[in-house]
Amino acid sequence: MPKIKIAPSILSANQAKLQEEINEIEDFSDLLQVDVMDNIFVPNITPQAELLKKFSTKVPLDIHFMVKEPSNDYIKSFINANKKLKINNITVHQEACKNLKKTLNFIKKNKIKAAVAINPQTSLNKIKSVLNKVDMVLIMTVEPGFSGQKFIESTLTKVKELRKLKPDMDIEVDGGINDKTAPLAVKAGANILVASSFIFKSDDKIKAIKKIRDAVKK
Ligand code: DX5
């Protein structure tokens, strides 16, 4: 299995103190997840590409589009928003893209890793045809849209199945990750753990990250 990585999601960070909060955790984070919502694919909205102008970090970004039909221009607007940031990957939802292959190819053409996400109700079969194209699969462990929801354990069946199919692939989980659920996800085969409220709503953010790291070592 590839190396375990922790990706704090800035969704539940204090947006008024965003830079300060990112500075606090960056030495302890492998990736920083930026959630992008359009109020169409999910019933919530975030700033679009201009969000990337609001902070800087040395940590590579994991951009999660919860967006219906992200066009090439839309994707480009993120890539060009802040050249000081390093974008590791852009993740798009299977459920949101009619021509998933084309969207993934466009991301890759820009020398950015392309990833596909599936909602809790979406079966792995829906992405089997792109598994050889993607650099990462995100198995959502809550319904996308909001931080602070309860981890849906049944989604781990898909993680297990995918890990069997792809022993070396990056498999990410997102939603309800904390020091109790992270070990379950890792045991199932996930290696990239996104956590938002557990880290950013905690009194000690660094300690929260360490708690996840320690829990998955056991
Ligand atoms: C959910 C987002 C998540 C969310 C996770 O739509 O994709 O990244 O911020 O939040 P927690 O860790 O609080 O469940």
Side-chain angles (χ1 to χ4, degrees), residues 9 11 33 35 37 64 66 140 144-149 174-176 194-197:
S9 152
L11 189 64
Q33 198 192 60
D35 284 311
M37 309 191 201
H64 177 199
M66 285 161 272
M140 290 302 297
F146 298 92
S147 286
Q149 304 180 73
D174 179 5
V194 177
S196 194
S197 50

Side-chain angles (χ1 to χ4, degrees), residues 17 127 190 208:
K17 295 198 293 179
I127 55 166

Side-chain angles (χ1 to χ4, degrees), residues 126-140:
K126 298 266 185 196
I127 55 166
K128 284 218 168 121
S129 64
V130 296
L131 282 186
N132 289 330
K133 269 197 178 303
V134 292
D135 300 290
M136 181 179 88
V137 172
L138 164 55
I139 310 264
M140 290 302 297

Side-chain angles (χ1 to χ4, degrees), residues 154-165:
S154 58
T155 55
L156 295 184
T157 313
K158 291 186 282 187
V159 176
K160 273 186 209 148
E161 199 188 320
L162 182 58
R163 179 54 75 208
K164 261 195 217 144
L165 286 173

